[in-house]
Amino acid sequence: MQLLTYRADGDPTPRLGARTGTDRVADLTALATAAGAELPPDLLGLIRAGEPALATARELTAGAPETRPLAEVSLCAPLRPGKIVGVGLNYVEHVAESHRTLDTERELPDRPVLFGKPATAVTGPGQPILHNADLTKQLDWECELAVVIGVPAFRVSEADALRHVFGYSIVNDISARDQRRSGQWFFSKGQDSYAPFGPVVVTADEIPDPQRLDLSLRVNGELRQDSNTRHMLFGIARLIADISAGMTLEPGDVIATGSPSGVGAGMVPPQFLQPGDLVEATIERIGTLANPVIDAR
C-alpha cells in the first residue's frame, strides 16, 4: 500500500489516506466508518496497531473504493516520527566529496556514522524549506531513502532486521553547512523544516529489495543527484542492526539512510539553496517530494 496523510475541503484535521493509481486518494477513515470497521485515525496509530490494522486498510481499498484526485487535497508529512536517525557518509562517492569540501575523513567509515534530527524538523510535501540568511549562507540538499520502523527493534541481527520495517519514504536531509559546531551536526541538520518527508509511505511488501532503487534530486529542474541505493556503504539491514545494538527503534521511527554524491557543497564552485528555489527529491516506486525554499528572516 501507499499510505499518506492529507487535508481537504478546508478541514484543518489531517486524514489518513491511501494513494490509488498514480493520482488519486482514498479516505481510509471514511471507508472504515462506512464499513463499520475499526481503524486508527492516523498513520502512526496504524503502524503501532500492527498487521491486523494494515490488513483492514488493504481490505478497505480492495476493489474500487470511492476516491478523489490527489490534486484536490493538500499532502502533509505522513507522520511525525518519535526520532529520526540520520546516517552520514553512506555512499562511497559522497565520502570522497565530503572529504574534499567538508573536511571529513578521507577513509571510508568502518561503521555507520549516525546523528539525530528532531521531530520538529519535519515538514511535508509542498511545504517551505526555511532559509534564514542570518543563520546560514550554505543551505544544502540531500535526497535520502527513509526507512519507517514498524516493529520495535532492539539488538536485532542483520538477518532479522528487515522484518522490523513497515515501509519506505523520502527524506530530504537539509543541512546548514556553516552551522556545524565543533564538528557536531545537530543544529546544522536539525532546524525547523530541515527534514522534508513524504509524499507517501510505501509498505515494505511493495518494495521487496530496497537496495535497488534509483534516487535523484533536482533544483529548479536541474539534475544535481543521480544514484541508486545499491551504492550504500552500509545497507538497511546493517543500519538497523547497528542502531538497535544500543538504541530501541520504535514504530514510526525513521532512519534517513544517507545521501549520494552531488550535494551543493561538492559542486565547483559550491552552490547552495536560495529563496525562490524548488527542490525535488525522487525515489523509484515512491514518488517525488517537492519543496520550495523561502526567505525566513
Side-chain angles (χ1 to χ4, degrees), residues 97-145:
E97 76 174 354
S98 293
H99 170 70
R100 186 179 70 251
T101 60
L102 297 172
D103 301 321
T104 57
E105 296 294 330
R106 180 191 300 272
E107 294 77 17
L108 297 179
D110 58 5
R111 57 183 179 178
V113 176
L114 305 177
F115 60 92
K117 291 174 83 86
T120 47
V122 169
T123 193
Q127 296 303 302
I129 297 167
L130 304 179
H131 186 295
N132 184 344
D134 293 333
L135 290 176
T136 182
K137 302 295 191 294
Q138 299 181 1
L139 195 65
D140 210 343
W141 58 81
E142 293 186 346
C143 177
E144 307 197 4
L145 178 66

Side-chain angles (χ1 to χ4, degrees), residues 76-78 123-125 146 168-172 195-201 281 286-289:
C76 308
T123 193
Y168 302 95
S169 189
I170 304 171
V171 164
N172 189 351
F197 176 34
V200 299
V201 174
I286 298 172
T288 296
L289 172 65

